[in-house]
mmCIF file of all heavy atoms in Angstrom:
data_model
loop_
_atom_site.group_PDB
_atom_site.id
_atom_site.type_symbol
_atom_site.label_atom_id
_atom_site.label_comp_id
_atom_site.label_asym_id
_atom_site.label_seq_id
_atom_site.Cartn_x
_atom_site.Cartn_y
_atom_site.Cartn_z
ATOM 1 N N HIS A 238 44.922 102.434 78.215
ATOM 2 C CA HIS A 238 43.830 102.888 79.083
ATOM 3 C C HIS A 238 42.782 103.612 78.244
ATOM 4 O O HIS A 238 43.070 104.670 77.683
ATOM 5 C CB HIS A 238 44.349 103.828 80.157
ATOM 6 C CG HIS A 238 45.381 103.244 81.070
ATOM 7 N ND1 HIS A 238 45.085 102.636 82.271
ATOM 8 C CD2 HIS A 238 46.734 103.142 80.982
ATOM 9 C CE1 HIS A 238 46.178 102.205 82.855
ATOM 10 N NE2 HIS A 238 47.212 102.505 82.082
ATOM 11 N N GLY A 239 41.599 103.021 78.134
ATOM 12 C CA GLY A 239 40.536 103.664 77.396
ATOM 13 C C GLY A 239 39.982 102.772 76.312
ATOM 14 O O GLY A 239 40.656 101.837 75.855
ATOM 15 N N PRO A 240 38.759 103.054 75.887
ATOM 16 C CA PRO A 240 38.142 102.232 74.839
ATOM 17 C C PRO A 240 38.948 102.245 73.547
ATOM 18 O O PRO A 240 39.253 103.309 73.004
ATOM 19 C CB PRO A 240 36.774 102.916 74.621
ATOM 20 C CG PRO A 240 36.523 103.683 75.888
ATOM 21 C CD PRO A 240 37.865 104.105 76.362
ATOM 22 N N GLY A 241 39.323 101.066 73.088
ATOM 23 C CA GLY A 241 40.046 100.943 71.834
ATOM 24 C C GLY A 241 41.488 101.426 71.853
ATOM 25 O O GLY A 241 42.126 101.506 70.811
ATOM 26 N N ALA A 242 42.015 101.737 73.025
ATOM 27 C CA ALA A 242 43.414 102.183 73.110
ATOM 28 C C ALA A 242 44.340 101.010 72.850
ATOM 29 O O ALA A 242 44.025 99.861 73.178
ATOM 30 C CB ALA A 242 43.680 102.801 74.482
ATOM 31 N N VAL A 243 45.513 101.298 72.269
ATOM 32 C CA VAL A 243 46.488 100.254 71.914
ATOM 33 C C VAL A 243 47.871 100.656 72.421
ATOM 34 O O VAL A 243 48.413 101.674 71.981
ATOM 35 C CB VAL A 243 46.534 100.007 70.392
ATOM 36 C CG1 VAL A 243 47.535 98.912 70.062
ATOM 37 C CG2 VAL A 243 45.158 99.672 69.847
ATOM 38 N N GLY A 244 48.429 99.872 73.334
ATOM 39 C CA GLY A 244 49.793 100.144 73.799
ATOM 40 C C GLY A 244 50.825 99.738 72.772
ATOM 41 O O GLY A 244 50.640 98.782 72.010
ATOM 42 N N GLY A 245 51.932 100.446 72.738
ATOM 43 C CA GLY A 245 53.007 100.111 71.782
ATOM 44 C C GLY A 245 53.723 98.827 72.147
ATOM 45 O O GLY A 245 53.826 98.463 73.323
ATOM 46 N N ASN A 246 54.235 98.166 71.125
ATOM 47 C CA ASN A 246 55.012 96.932 71.354
ATOM 48 C C ASN A 246 56.442 97.267 71.758
ATOM 49 O O ASN A 246 57.036 98.236 71.276
ATOM 50 C CB ASN A 246 55.048 96.096 70.089
ATOM 51 C CG ASN A 246 53.680 95.570 69.675
ATOM 52 O OD1 ASN A 246 52.883 95.204 70.515
ATOM 53 N ND2 ASN A 246 53.422 95.530 68.374
ATOM 54 N N GLY A 247 56.982 96.424 72.636
ATOM 55 C CA GLY A 247 58.381 96.588 72.995
ATOM 56 C C GLY A 247 59.291 96.039 71.913
ATOM 57 O O GLY A 247 58.946 95.098 71.199
ATOM 58 N N GLY A 248 60.451 96.659 71.739
ATOM 59 C CA GLY A 248 61.405 96.215 70.739
ATOM 60 C C GLY A 248 62.141 94.954 71.155
ATOM 61 O O GLY A 248 62.283 94.664 72.352
ATOM 62 N N ASN A 249 62.629 94.216 70.196
ATOM 63 C CA ASN A 249 63.419 93.005 70.474
ATOM 64 C C ASN A 249 64.846 93.353 70.856
ATOM 65 O O ASN A 249 65.412 94.314 70.352
ATOM 66 C CB ASN A 249 63.444 92.103 69.238
ATOM 67 C CG ASN A 249 62.072 91.571 68.878
ATOM 68 O OD1 ASN A 249 61.269 91.273 69.740
ATOM 69 N ND2 ASN A 249 61.810 91.458 67.571
ATOM 70 N N GLY A 250 65.394 92.530 71.740
ATOM 71 C CA GLY A 250 66.789 92.713 72.097
ATOM 72 C C GLY A 250 67.713 92.200 70.986
ATOM 73 O O GLY A 250 67.374 91.249 70.278
ATOM 74 N N GLY A 251 68.879 92.820 70.864
ATOM 75 C CA GLY A 251 69.833 92.408 69.817
ATOM 76 C C GLY A 251 70.571 91.134 70.194
ATOM 77 O O GLY A 251 70.792 90.819 71.368
ATOM 78 N N ASN A 252 70.962 90.416 69.154
ATOM 79 C CA ASN A 252 71.758 89.213 69.335
ATOM 80 C C ASN A 252 73.237 89.558 69.513
ATOM 81 O O ASN A 252 73.723 90.572 68.989
ATOM 82 C CB ASN A 252 71.598 88.279 68.144
ATOM 83 C CG ASN A 252 70.160 87.825 67.938
ATOM 84 O OD1 ASN A 252 69.486 87.477 68.913
ATOM 85 N ND2 ASN A 252 69.686 87.827 66.691
ATOM 86 N N ALA A 253 73.943 88.679 70.223
ATOM 87 C CA ALA A 253 75.378 88.891 70.459
ATOM 88 C C ALA A 253 76.155 87.667 69.998
ATOM 89 O O ALA A 253 75.869 86.553 70.429
ATOM 90 C CB ALA A 253 75.620 89.151 71.945
ATOM 91 N N HIS A 254 77.115 87.922 69.102
ATOM 92 C CA HIS A 254 77.965 86.853 68.547
ATOM 93 C C HIS A 254 79.417 87.189 68.797
ATOM 94 O O HIS A 254 79.938 88.156 68.209
ATOM 95 C CB HIS A 254 77.693 86.688 67.061
ATOM 96 C CG HIS A 254 76.291 86.309 66.711
ATOM 97 N ND1 HIS A 254 75.847 85.030 66.571
ATOM 98 C CD2 HIS A 254 75.198 87.090 66.445
ATOM 99 C CE1 HIS A 254 74.549 85.014 66.260
ATOM 100 N NE2 HIS A 254 74.144 86.257 66.188
ATOM 101 N N GLY A 255 80.059 86.377 69.617
ATOM 102 C CA GLY A 255 81.471 86.605 69.852
ATOM 103 C C GLY A 255 81.762 86.732 71.347
ATOM 104 O O GLY A 255 80.873 87.099 72.130
ATOM 105 N N PRO A 256 82.994 86.482 71.730
ATOM 106 C CA PRO A 256 83.376 86.594 73.155
ATOM 107 C C PRO A 256 83.153 88.016 73.692
ATOM 108 O O PRO A 256 83.630 88.989 73.132
ATOM 109 C CB PRO A 256 84.862 86.251 73.141
ATOM 110 C CG PRO A 256 85.088 85.478 71.890
ATOM 111 C CD PRO A 256 84.124 86.054 70.897
ATOM 112 N N GLY A 257 82.326 88.109 74.754
ATOM 113 C CA GLY A 257 82.109 89.414 75.375
ATOM 114 C C GLY A 257 81.234 90.345 74.600
ATOM 115 O O GLY A 257 81.083 91.513 74.979
ATOM 116 N N ALA A 258 80.627 89.886 73.528
ATOM 117 C CA ALA A 258 79.741 90.751 72.749
ATOM 118 C C ALA A 258 78.443 91.000 73.512
ATOM 119 O O ALA A 258 77.978 90.161 74.285
ATOM 120 C CB ALA A 258 79.427 90.101 71.390
ATOM 121 N N ILE A 259 77.857 92.187 73.307
ATOM 122 C CA ILE A 259 76.631 92.580 74.036
ATOM 123 C C ILE A 259 75.610 93.110 73.021
ATOM 124 O O ILE A 259 75.841 94.125 72.359
ATOM 125 C CB ILE A 259 76.918 93.644 75.104
ATOM 126 C CG1 ILE A 259 77.952 93.161 76.101
ATOM 127 C CG2 ILE A 259 75.629 94.072 75.813
ATOM 128 C CD1 ILE A 259 78.392 94.222 77.103
ATOM 129 N N GLY A 260 74.455 92.444 72.946
ATOM 130 C CA GLY A 260 73.397 92.938 72.078
ATOM 131 C C GLY A 260 72.682 94.118 72.692
ATOM 132 O O GLY A 260 72.555 94.224 73.925
ATOM 133 N N GLY A 261 72.195 95.022 71.878
ATOM 134 C CA GLY A 261 71.477 96.185 72.391
ATOM 135 C C GLY A 261 70.115 95.822 72.954
ATOM 136 O O GLY A 261 69.476 94.861 72.531
ATOM 137 N N ASN A 262 69.656 96.597 73.919
ATOM 138 C CA ASN A 262 68.341 96.391 74.489
ATOM 139 C C ASN A 262 67.252 96.987 73.603
ATOM 140 O O ASN A 262 67.417 98.026 72.982
ATOM 141 C CB ASN A 262 68.248 97.046 75.878
ATOM 142 C CG ASN A 262 69.181 96.408 76.881
ATOM 143 O OD1 ASN A 262 69.383 95.188 76.881
ATOM 144 N ND2 ASN A 262 69.756 97.222 77.774
#
Side-chain angles (χ1 to χ4, degrees):
H238 300 268
V243 181
N246 295 323
N249 296 323
N252 299 317
H254 299 269
I259 302 175
N262 295 323

